[in-house]
Amino acid sequence: VSAPRIVAEMAIRLAARAVIAAGAATIGWLAASPGPAAPALAVGAGTWFVLTSRRDVAAVIRHQPGSGPVATGRSRSEVHADQDPT
Amino acid sequence: MIGRWLAVVAARAILRAGARLLSWLALAAVAVAAAPVSLVCAGTVAVAWWCGWLPRRLLAAAAWCGPMVAVWLARIASEAGWMAAVSAPYHAWTGFWRLALRGDLPMAAAGVAPAAIPLGLAAGALVWAYLAGSLAVGVGGLSPASAVAFDQRQWRHQVRSARIRIAAPGAVPLTMRGDLVVTGAVIRTVGHQAGTRCAIGYWRMRSHQVVAGTTGTGKTTLLLRLQAGFMAIGLRRHAAGMGAPPLVVMLDCKGGRDARRVADEFRRVLSHAGASSVALWPDEASLSLWELPPSQLTTALVDLIEHGTGSAAYYADVMDALIALAVEAPCGPPASARDLLSRFEPGWLAAAYAGAGTAADQILIRSESRHLSDVSLRLRTLFRRLGTGLDGPGTFGDADAWYCMLEGTDQIPVAEAQARALVDLLAHFAATGPKRREILLAVDEFSAVSRRVPIWQLYERARSLGLAVQVSAQSWQGLATTEDERYRIAAAAEGGIWLLRTPHPEPLAGLAGTRRVIDPTRELGRFPAWRRQGSSRLIDAPVVDHALIRALGVGQAAYIYRGGVTYVQVKRLVAGPAAAGADARTRSAWRARRPNHHEGGARPLQPDRPAALPDVAPVLDAAFGREPRP
């Protein structure tokens, strides 16, 4: 699996999570308004999004899978061989 | 009297049943009253059971609800004061029932959610801890066998979760911050810190490791991943000025067509991990035995030739003396096999030592010259076995990674001699190479060459050379020829032991040691009902479950380290097709930069070496006796 494809799949997963979090926050806000639970549910959805997506966010920003580049300056060293399921 | 006694017994039974019914009813009433929390709790326990999670994970989830609860309380406090915030959960509960009874369920659920979710998660963690704990020690369930069934079911759930984790692209990176090599997703841990990914430190890769597992269990896949991680982190550390450049040397001792396929994968994976050049020996690259210093070359050549015992020891000494004369001649050491063999021509040694040799040399040459042809024949056989791959040019420093294919399946003596020579060359390179390297020597299918390669000797002096050894074998018996050597190898594996499926895991699994566990008993009532009463004691149970090792699936491994074990679903590395082009570039660069050892010009990877030497084994057998076979 090539690195661009991995990054693309991560971006898709990230977008899906963002949609789910935004949807949950919106529904919660509409259902709980004008009570104090409305902003709390939005914060909860945001926390879930950040917790589950932080690795994807880092990977997409750095344009590489994994959490650390192989900064050797050599050709292709920024791309880890990654990965198919066993 | 009897009637009164029966009445008392009946009354006690009714009271006991009534008390139990009342307690269940009270529990049900609490659960219904706290319906939002109960629902979250039930869902949490169900998810934890389905995914094989630990209770700690649920508690962490409850803790991460902190920001939501904080915002909720802050909003209430800003609107109605801090006292309202204190009683907020109670008001949320009453508000839930008020809205629910009015039929406005969505608003009721949303209003109570900031309190119900963290409380439900925490309650779920407690319930799940109780259920799992009671079943784990054997007191839960209808019978003691429930614990076994529960454990097997949880194992399946944990395996499924691990497989899902590694299936997501990018979810299991090759390396992590802190110089960690990630091998896969954690299935289960005993005595190790629980987590989602199995990561081992680079310094453990710099120590010896043992990998054991039968064919087709994912041993090579695991080795490739570890080597790629070693290369990636080693290069990063070198670039940061924190260490010497890495060098990975893989000895594939089984050979054959499968070795070529693995070699291709090795090249692509290591190239992706950052290796600038990957050499395949002997197909595309060569090494030079003649790089060894004369005295070491003499010792290596004599060691590579198998000797008999008894009267054959005399011939071994003669051979040693003559090879030393030829190698350490005043004109300098030989530069190739042909050069060395030419020195055993009649008259060469006498001429070479005519003006520079000592009197002892002259006497030896005169007295033992009749054996020159015999020694030459033995050397010819040795060079035929070693092949042209060790006749130079080249050193291990010419590439970042070497994949050495030894034909250990169909030509065991050849593989043994080659492995011995390669290990000697690598040890020499590690000790006296032009620049220090952090070396990882991996020996796959070690059993094929274990008779002639005393790897445990290398183990014991390797750390000072900056060399880590990874030995892999299909079984405990394949690690070495004697039980003592096997234990030496396994006990020196400071970097850990990787145990894949094997039918005889006891010796390696035993190195993980034991742990204190509760061993409860339960009284058997009228079959098949077991009572809850019983006794318990502390016993020492093995850290590694032998039955689990025997039943591991493909790609599953147990990592044994410091009295604990982590069961891992290994993530397979597959290099992209882009590496194919890189391979071609690597090969071209390899060809271009390697000068001809003899002529100073470019030489092809398949060199125009002399044709294979004739088989003189029958003549040698007649002269020195039959060669011992493994």
Side-chain angles (χ1 to χ4, degrees), chain A residues 55 62 74 79 81 83 86, chain B residues 172 177 197 272 400 570 573:
Chain A
R55 290 195 190 100
R62 288 201 223 108
R74 289 176 169 174
V79 181
Q83 292 161 22
T86 299
Chain B
V172 182
R177 283 194 183 84
R197 291 180 290 191
H272 270 267
D400 287 339
V570 178
L573 281 175

Side-chain angles (χ1 to χ4, degrees), chain B residues 109-146:
Chain B
V112 80
I117 291 174
L119 287 174
L121 284 169
L126 292 175
V127 170
W128 179 233
Y130 173 77
L131 286 175
S134 63
L135 279 162
V137 298
V139 296
L142 294 176
S143 77
S146 302

Side-chain angles (χ1 to χ4, degrees), chain B residues 547-573:
Chain B
L548 212 52
I549 299 295
R550 289 191 183 91
L552 286 176
V554 175
Q556 293 169 1
Y559 177 61
I560 299 168
Y561 180 73
R562 285 195 181 172
V565 61
T566 299
Y567 296 93
V568 192
Q569 184 75 44
V570 178
K571 173 80 173 174
R572 186 178 167 209
L573 281 175

Side-chain angles (χ1 to χ4, degrees), chain A residues 9-10 13 31 36-37 39-41 43 47 51 55 62 66-72 74 76 79-84 86, chain B residues 64 68 72 75-76 107 110 168-170 172-173 175-177 197 232 235-236 239 271-272 274 400 570-573 582:
Chain A
E9 289 197 16
M10 285 179 163
R13 285 194 302 169
L41 290 175
V43 169
T47 307
L51 282 179
R55 290 195 190 100
R62 288 201 223 108
S67 57
V70 185
T72 61
R74 289 176 169 174
R76 305 178 320 280
V79 181
H80 288 168
D82 202 333
Q83 292 161 22
D84 268 349
T86 299
Chain B
W64 276 110
M68 177 177 71
W72 181 57
R75 182 70 183 267
I76 292 172
M107 194 169 181
V172 182
T175 62
M176 284 168 59
R177 283 194 183 84
R197 291 180 290 191
L235 287 172
R236 185 164 58 201
S271 296
H272 270 267
D400 287 339
V570 178
K571 173 80 173 174
R572 186 178 167 209
L573 281 175

